[in-house]
Coordinates of all heavy atoms in Angstrom, one line a residue:
L268 N 0.8 -1.2 0.0 CA 0.0 -0.1 0.0 C 0.8 1.3 0.0 O 0.3 2.4 0.0 CB -0.9 0.0 1.2 CG -1.9 -1.1 1.3 CD1 -2.7 -1.1 2.7 CD2 -3.0 -0.9 0.2
T269 N 2.1 1.1 0.0 CA 3.0 2.3 0.1 C 3.9 2.4 -1.1 O 4.2 1.4 -1.8 CB 3.9 2.2 1.4 OG1 4.7 1.0 1.4 CG2 3.0 2.3 2.6
V270 N 4.5 3.6 -1.4 CA 5.4 3.9 -2.4 C 6.7 3.2 -2.1 O 7.2 3.4 -1.0 CB 5.6 5.4 -2.7 CG1 6.6 5.6 -3.8 CG2 4.3 6.0 -3.1
G271 N 7.3 2.4 -3.0 CA 8.5 1.7 -2.8 C 9.6 2.4 -3.6 O 9.4 3.2 -4.5
A272 N 10.9 2.0 -3.3 CA 12.0 2.6 -4.0 C 12.2 1.8 -5.3 O 12.9 2.2 -6.2 CB 13.3 2.4 -3.1
D273 N 11.6 0.6 -5.4 CA 11.8 -0.3 -6.5 C 10.7 0.0 -7.6 O 9.6 0.1 -7.3 CB 11.6 -1.7 -6.1 CG 11.8 -2.7 -7.2 OD1 12.5 -2.4 -8.3 OD2 11.2 -3.8 -7.1
W274 N 11.1 0.4 -8.8 CA 10.2 0.7 -9.8 C 9.3 -0.4 -10.2 O 8.2 -0.1 -10.6 CB 11.0 1.3 -11.0 CG 11.8 0.3 -11.8 CD1 13.2 0.0 -11.5 CD2 11.5 -0.5 -12.8 NE1 13.7 -0.9 -12.3 CE2 12.6 -1.3 -13.2 CE3 10.3 -0.7 -13.5 CZ2 12.6 -2.3 -14.2 CZ3 10.3 -1.7 -14.5 CH2 11.4 -2.5 -14.8
R275 N 9.7 -1.6 -10.1 CA 8.9 -2.7 -10.5 C 7.7 -2.8 -9.5 O 6.6 -3.1 -9.9 CB 9.7 -4.0 -10.5 CG 10.5 -4.3 -11.8 CD 11.2 -5.6 -11.7 NE 12.6 -5.2 -11.9 CZ 13.6 -5.3 -11.0 NH1 13.3 -5.8 -9.8 NH2 14.8 -5.0 -11.2
H276 N 8.0 -2.6 -8.2 CA 6.9 -2.6 -7.3 C 5.9 -1.5 -7.6 O 4.6 -1.8 -7.6 CB 7.5 -2.3 -5.8 CG 6.4 -2.0 -4.8 ND1 5.7 -2.9 -4.3 CD2 6.1 -0.8 -4.3 CE1 4.8 -2.4 -3.4 NE2 5.1 -1.1 -3.4
N277 N 6.3 -0.3 -7.9 CA 5.4 0.7 -8.2 C 4.6 0.5 -9.5 O 3.4 0.9 -9.6 CB 6.1 2.1 -8.3 CG 6.7 2.4 -6.9 OD1 6.2 2.1 -5.8 ND2 7.8 3.2 -6.9
L278 N 5.2 -0.1 -10.5 CA 4.5 -0.4 -11.7 C 3.4 -1.5 -11.5 O 2.4 -1.4 -12.1 CB 5.5 -0.8 -12.8 CG 6.2 0.3 -13.5 CD1 7.2 -0.2 -14.5 CD2 5.2 1.3 -14.1
T279 N 3.7 -2.5 -10.7 CA 2.8 -3.6 -10.4 C 1.8 -3.2 -9.3 O 0.8 -4.0 -9.2 CB 3.6 -4.9 -10.1 OG1 4.3 -4.6 -8.9 CG2 4.4 -5.4 -11.2
H280 N 2.0 -2.1 -8.6 CA 1.0 -1.7 -7.6 C 0.8 -0.2 -7.9 O 1.1 0.6 -7.1 CB 1.6 -1.8 -6.2 CG 1.9 -3.3 -5.8 ND1 3.1 -3.8 -6.2 CD2 1.3 -4.1 -5.1 CE1 3.1 -5.1 -5.7 NE2 2.0 -5.3 -5.0
P281 N 0.0 0.1 -8.9 CA -0.1 1.6 -9.3 C -0.9 2.4 -8.3 O -0.8 3.6 -8.2 CB -0.8 1.5 -10.6 CG -1.5 0.2 -10.7 CD -0.6 -0.7 -9.9
W282 N -1.7 1.7 -7.5 CA -2.5 2.4 -6.5 C -1.7 3.0 -5.3 O -2.2 3.8 -4.6 CB -3.6 1.4 -5.9 CG -3.0 0.2 -5.2 CD1 -2.5 0.0 -4.0 CD2 -2.7 -1.0 -5.9 NE1 -2.0 -1.2 -3.8 CE2 -2.1 -1.9 -5.0 CE3 -3.1 -1.5 -7.2 CZ2 -1.8 -3.2 -5.3 CZ3 -2.8 -2.8 -7.4 CH2 -2.1 -3.7 -6.5
V283 N -0.4 2.6 -5.2 CA 0.4 3.1 -4.0 C 0.5 4.6 -4.1 O 0.8 5.2 -3.0 CB 1.7 2.3 -4.0 CG1 1.6 0.9 -3.8 CG2 2.6 2.6 -5.2
F284 N 0.5 5.2 -5.3 CA 0.7 6.6 -5.3 C -0.5 7.4 -4.8 O -0.3 8.5 -4.4 CB 1.0 7.0 -6.8 CG 2.4 6.6 -7.3 CD1 2.4 5.6 -8.1 CD2 3.4 7.4 -6.9 CE1 3.7 5.2 -8.5 CE2 4.7 7.0 -7.3 CZ 4.8 5.9 -8.2
I285 N -1.6 6.7 -4.6 CA -2.7 7.4 -3.9 C -2.8 6.8 -2.4 O -2.9 7.7 -1.5 CB -4.1 7.0 -4.6 CG1 -4.1 7.5 -6.0 CG2 -5.3 7.6 -3.8 CD1 -4.0 9.1 -6.1
T286 N -2.7 5.6 -2.2 CA -2.9 5.0 -0.9 C -1.8 5.4 0.2 O -2.2 5.6 1.3 CB -3.0 3.4 -0.9 OG1 -1.8 2.9 -1.5 CG2 -4.1 3.0 -1.7
H287 N -0.6 5.7 -0.3 CA 0.4 6.0 0.7 C 0.1 7.3 1.5 O 0.5 7.5 2.6 CB 1.8 6.1 0.0 CG 2.0 7.5 -0.7 ND1 1.5 7.8 -1.9 CD2 2.7 8.6 -0.2 CE1 1.9 9.1 -2.2 NE2 2.6 9.5 -1.2
M288 N -0.6 8.2 0.8 CA -0.8 9.5 1.4 C -2.0 9.5 2.5 O -2.3 10.5 3.1 CB -1.1 10.6 0.5 CG -2.3 10.6 -0.3 SD -2.4 11.8 -1.6 CE -1.6 11.0 -3.0
F289 N -2.6 8.3 2.7 CA -3.7 8.1 3.6 C -3.4 7.2 4.7 O -4.3 6.8 5.5 CB -5.0 7.7 2.9 CG -5.6 8.7 2.0 CD1 -5.4 8.6 0.6 CD2 -6.3 9.8 2.4 CE1 -5.9 9.5 -0.3 CE2 -6.8 10.7 1.5 CZ -6.6 10.6 0.2
L290 N -2.1 6.8 4.8 CA -1.7 5.8 5.8 C -0.7 6.4 6.7 O 0.3 7.1 6.3 CB -1.1 4.6 5.1 CG -2.0 3.9 4.1 CD1 -1.3 2.7 3.4 CD2 -3.2 3.3 4.9
H291 N -0.8 6.1 8.0 CA 0.1 6.4 9.1 C 0.3 5.3 10.0 O -0.7 4.7 10.4 CB -0.3 7.6 9.8 CG -0.5 8.9 9.0 ND1 -1.6 9.1 8.2 CD2 0.4 9.9 8.8 CE1 -1.4 10.3 7.6 NE2 -0.3 10.8 7.9
E292 N 1.5 5.0 10.4 CA 1.8 3.8 11.4 C 1.8 4.3 12.8 O 1.4 3.7 13.7 CB 3.1 3.2 11.0 CG 2.9 2.0 10.0 CD 4.1 1.1 10.1 OE1 5.2 1.6 9.7 OE2 3.9 -0.1 10.4
S293 N 2.3 5.5 12.9 CA 2.5 6.2 14.3 C 1.3 7.1 14.6 O 1.0 7.9 13.8 CB 3.8 6.8 14.3 OG 3.9 7.7 15.4
F294 N 0.9 7.1 15.8 CA -0.1 8.0 16.3 C 0.3 9.5 16.2 O -0.4 10.4 15.7 CB -0.5 7.7 17.7 CG -1.4 8.8 18.3 CD1 -2.8 8.8 17.9 CD2 -1.0 9.7 19.2 CE1 -3.6 9.8 18.4 CE2 -1.8 10.7 19.7 CZ -3.1 10.7 19.3
W295 N 1.6 9.7 16.6 CA 2.2 11.1 16.5 C 2.3 11.6 15.1 O 2.1 12.7 14.8 CB 3.5 11.1 17.2 CG 3.2 10.8 18.7 CD1 3.6 9.7 19.4 CD2 2.5 11.7 19.7 NE1 3.2 9.8 20.7 CE2 2.5 11.0 20.9 CE3 1.9 12.9 19.6 CZ2 1.9 11.5 22.1 CZ3 1.3 13.4 20.7 CH2 1.3 12.6 21.9
H296 N 2.7 10.7 14.2 CA 2.8 11.1 12.8 C 1.4 11.5 12.2 O 1.3 12.5 11.6 CB 3.4 9.8 11.9 CG 3.6 10.1 10.6 ND1 3.7 9.1 9.6 CD2 3.9 11.3 9.9 CE1 4.0 9.7 8.4 NE2 4.1 10.9 8.5
L297 N 0.5 10.7 12.6 CA -0.9 11.1 12.2 C -1.4 12.4 12.8 O -2.0 13.2 12.1 CB -1.9 9.9 12.6 CG -3.4 10.2 12.4 CD1 -3.7 10.1 10.9 CD2 -4.2 9.3 13.2
L298 N -1.2 12.5 14.1 CA -1.6 13.7 14.8 C -1.1 15.0 14.2 O -1.8 15.9 13.9 CB -1.3 13.6 16.3 CG -1.7 14.8 17.2 CD1 -3.2 14.9 17.3 CD2 -1.0 14.7 18.5
W299 N 0.3 15.0 14.1 CA 0.9 16.3 13.6 C 0.5 16.5 12.1 O 0.4 17.7 11.8 CB 2.4 16.3 13.8 CG 2.7 16.2 15.3 CD1 3.3 15.3 16.0 CD2 2.4 17.3 16.2 NE1 3.4 15.6 17.4 CE2 2.8 16.8 17.5 CE3 1.7 18.5 16.2 CZ2 2.6 17.6 18.7 CZ3 1.6 19.2 17.3 CH2 2.0 18.8 18.5
N300 N 0.5 15.5 11.3 CA 0.0 15.7 9.9 C -1.4 16.3 9.9 O -1.6 17.2 9.1 CB 0.2 14.4 9.1 CG 1.5 14.2 8.6 OD1 2.3 15.1 8.4 ND2 1.8 13.0 8.2
M301 N -2.3 15.7 10.7 CA -3.7 16.1 10.6 C -3.9 17.5 11.2 O -4.7 18.3 10.7 CB -4.6 15.1 11.3 CG -4.6 13.7 10.6 SD -5.1 13.8 8.9 CE -3.5 13.6 8.0
L302 N -3.1 17.8 12.3 CA -3.2 19.2 12.8 C -2.7 20.2 11.8 O -3.4 21.2 11.6 CB -2.4 19.3 14.1 CG -3.0 18.7 15.3 CD1 -2.1 18.8 16.5 CD2 -4.3 19.4 15.7
G303 N -1.5 20.0 11.2 CA -1.1 20.9 10.2 C -2.0 21.0 9.0 O -2.2 22.0 8.4

């Protein structure tokens, strides 16, 4: 679901360019991004 450094991964998973911007693993990462 995330953008990878490998171009083959990104070509075979084209949705990652959208899904990566809606995912957060850390609560603090989510909190500060959403506040800003």
Side-chain angles (χ1 to χ4, degrees):
L268 297 173
T269 58
V270 175
D273 180 26
W274 64 270
R275 280 180 238 109
H276 167 76
N277 295 330
L278 281 178
T279 58
H280 300 81
W282 56 85
V283 298
F284 286 101
I285 299 295
T286 57
H287 85 278
M288 67 183 91
F289 294 101
L290 300 174
H291 297 82
E292 272 195 298
S293 160
F294 172 76
W295 296 109
H296 186 201
L297 172 74
L298 178 69
W299 294 115
N300 275 339
M301 294 305 103
L302 283 174

